[in-house]
């Protein structure tokens, strides 16, 4: 299984060869952490860089829109901190716009029939993709990012727990909350359905709904959840994707 300190990477021969060779180079020419992070494009693989480019393009669609950014399925924070950084870099004075992340940090709850069979190769099982080991570090990193704001503001927060329970409660406490981007990366049917049912009406016109696993063979639940919700709700919006990126699987711009 492809893991580093608990982080799961989808099996990819090309990626494994790239990082095996990169590890050899780093061992021969070691540097401190600031070197690697300041020069991240030097060390990131082509495949891992694509996702950041896709999220950048999605974020640009929302710059002029009101509303927060919701990140469902935070895991180790790759997408979450991308939205956070884009906010700081591209809209630094819009301190009313924030990033809210939702995750169990304990892996998947039970799978539904719509999710298909368990698949150990991608941790598709109850408790799979567990990031509990990262939660304390995540909170410290989030505090660091919030302190690094151009204008003092807490631009991000996380809500820990099963989204089918935490999301309705959070929305009730925040009735004014509207969203310009909703990133759904929970992979499975039940939480995806709950997010759509509770959040679609609060996504502003022109807002972006990201369906990370849409149309992917390993995760049929997310696809079914959107297709069924769209049919029930009479939504005919086109599902788009970037021809140069395999993730996200699709996204919708609300009319």
């Amino acid at each position: 299984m492809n893991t580093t300190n608990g982080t799961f990477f989808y099996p990819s021969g090309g990626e494994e060869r790239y990082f095996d060779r990169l590890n050899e180079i780093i061992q021969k020419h070691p540097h401190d952490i600031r070197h690697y992070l300041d020069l991240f494009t030097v060390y990131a693989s082509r495949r891992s860089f694509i996702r950041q480019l896709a999220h950048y393009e999605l974020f640009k669609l929302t710059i002029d829109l009101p509303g927060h950014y919701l990140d469902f399925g935070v895991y180790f924070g790759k997408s979450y901190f991308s939205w956070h950084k884009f906010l700081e870099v591209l809209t630094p004075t819009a301190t009313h716009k924030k990033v809210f992340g939702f995750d169990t940090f304990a892996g998947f709850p039970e799978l539904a029939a719509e999710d298909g069979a368990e698949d150990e190769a991608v941790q598709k099982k109850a408790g799979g993709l567990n990031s509990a080991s990262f939660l304390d570090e995540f909170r410290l990193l989030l505090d660091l990012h919030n302190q690094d704001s151009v204008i003092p503001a807490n631009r991000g927060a996380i809500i820990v727990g099963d989204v089918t329970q935490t999301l309705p409660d959070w929305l009730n406490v925040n009735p004014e909350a509207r969203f310009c981007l909703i990133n759904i990366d929970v992979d499975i049917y039940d939480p995806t359905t709950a997010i759509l049912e509770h959040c679609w009406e609060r996504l502003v016109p022109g807002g972006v709904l990201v369906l990370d696993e849409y149309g992917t063979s390993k995760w049929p639940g997310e696809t079914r959840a959107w297709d069924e919700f769209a049919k029930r709700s009479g939504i005919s919006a086109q599902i788009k994707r970037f021809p140069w990126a395999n993730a996200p699987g699709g996204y919708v711009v609300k009319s």
Side-chain angles (χ1 to χ4, degrees):
M1 184 172 294
N2 299 328
T3 60
T4 302
N5 295 328
T7 309
F8 173 80
F9 305 104
Y10 279 92
S12 168
E15 283 289 87
E16 290 173 11
R17 288 190 294 273
Y18 178 90
F19 282 104
D20 284 345
R21 179 59 180 142
L22 181 63
N23 282 330
E24 293 175 2
I25 294 171
I26 289 174
Q27 289 174 16
K28 185 176 181 180
H29 302 283
H31 304 281
D32 63 23
I33 190 171
R34 183 168 182 175
H35 173 93
Y36 295 120
L37 294 181
D38 280 351
L39 300 175
F40 79 97
T41 54
V42 175
Y43 296 94
S45 73
R46 169 183 58 82
R47 298 168 187 85
S48 59
F49 191 57
I50 286 173
R51 193 179 189 88
Q52 274 64 46
L53 293 177
H55 284 173
Y56 172 66
E57 293 298 326
L58 292 166
F59 186 91
K60 286 197 299 182
L61 298 176
T62 70
I63 289 177
D64 295 330
L65 299 177
H68 301 303
Y69 296 81
L70 294 186
D71 194 68
F72 292 100
V74 173
Y75 196 40
F76 281 74
K78 181 182 288 187
S79 59
Y80 180 93
F81 283 114
S82 291
W83 312 128
H84 196 290
K85 283 184 168 62
F86 294 150
L87 269 176
E88 281 296 327
V89 173
L90 300 176
T91 59
T93 61
T95 55
H96 57 289
K97 293 168 68 73
K98 302 181 186 297
V99 184
F100 294 99
F102 291 77
D103 203 305
T104 65
F105 289 94
F108 297 125
E110 293 297 323
L111 303 182
E114 291 84 353
D115 295 308
E118 292 187 358
D119 188 340
E120 191 72 35
V122 293
Q123 294 194 28
K124 184 181 163 186
K125 61 181 180 179
L129 298 182
N130 185 315
S131 57
S133 63
F134 186 65
L135 184 54
D136 287 344
E137 182 180 354
F138 185 99
R139 287 185 168 122
L140 292 172
L141 289 167
L142 178 56
D143 183 59
L144 176 63
H145 279 71
N146 283 334
Q147 291 177 23
D148 193 42
S149 297
V150 175
I151 299 174
N154 289 326
R155 299 295 291 267
I158 57 171
I159 296 87
V160 180
D162 185 339
V163 70
T164 63
Q165 301 172 22
T166 59
L167 179 58
D169 291 341
W170 187 87
L171 291 171
N172 285 335
V173 174
N174 298 277
E176 80 296 339
R178 296 296 181 270
F179 315 117
C180 62
L181 185 146
I182 301 172
N183 183 48
I184 300 181
D185 192 9
V186 294
D187 301 340
I188 59 176
Y189 180 82
D190 285 339
T192 301
T193 298
I195 294 163
L196 294 169
E197 294 284 359
H198 289 291
C199 293
W200 177 258
E201 289 301 318
R202 297 209 196 184
L203 183 66
V204 301
V208 177
L209 176 75
V210 185
L211 297 161
D212 197 70
E213 257 66 47
Y214 188 83
T216 60
S217 60
K218 296 290 187 180
W219 306 99
E222 183 179 299
T223 303
R224 290 192 62 177
W226 167 255
D227 288 349
E228 292 173 3
F229 173 77
K231 184 177 180 179
R232 285 195 307 272
S233 305
I235 299 170
S236 58
Q238 179 185 7
I239 300 176
K240 302 179 180 180
R241 63 175 295 274
F242 298 114
W244 42 266
N246 61 2
Y251 69 94
V252 175
V253 178
K254 187 177 182 181
S255 58

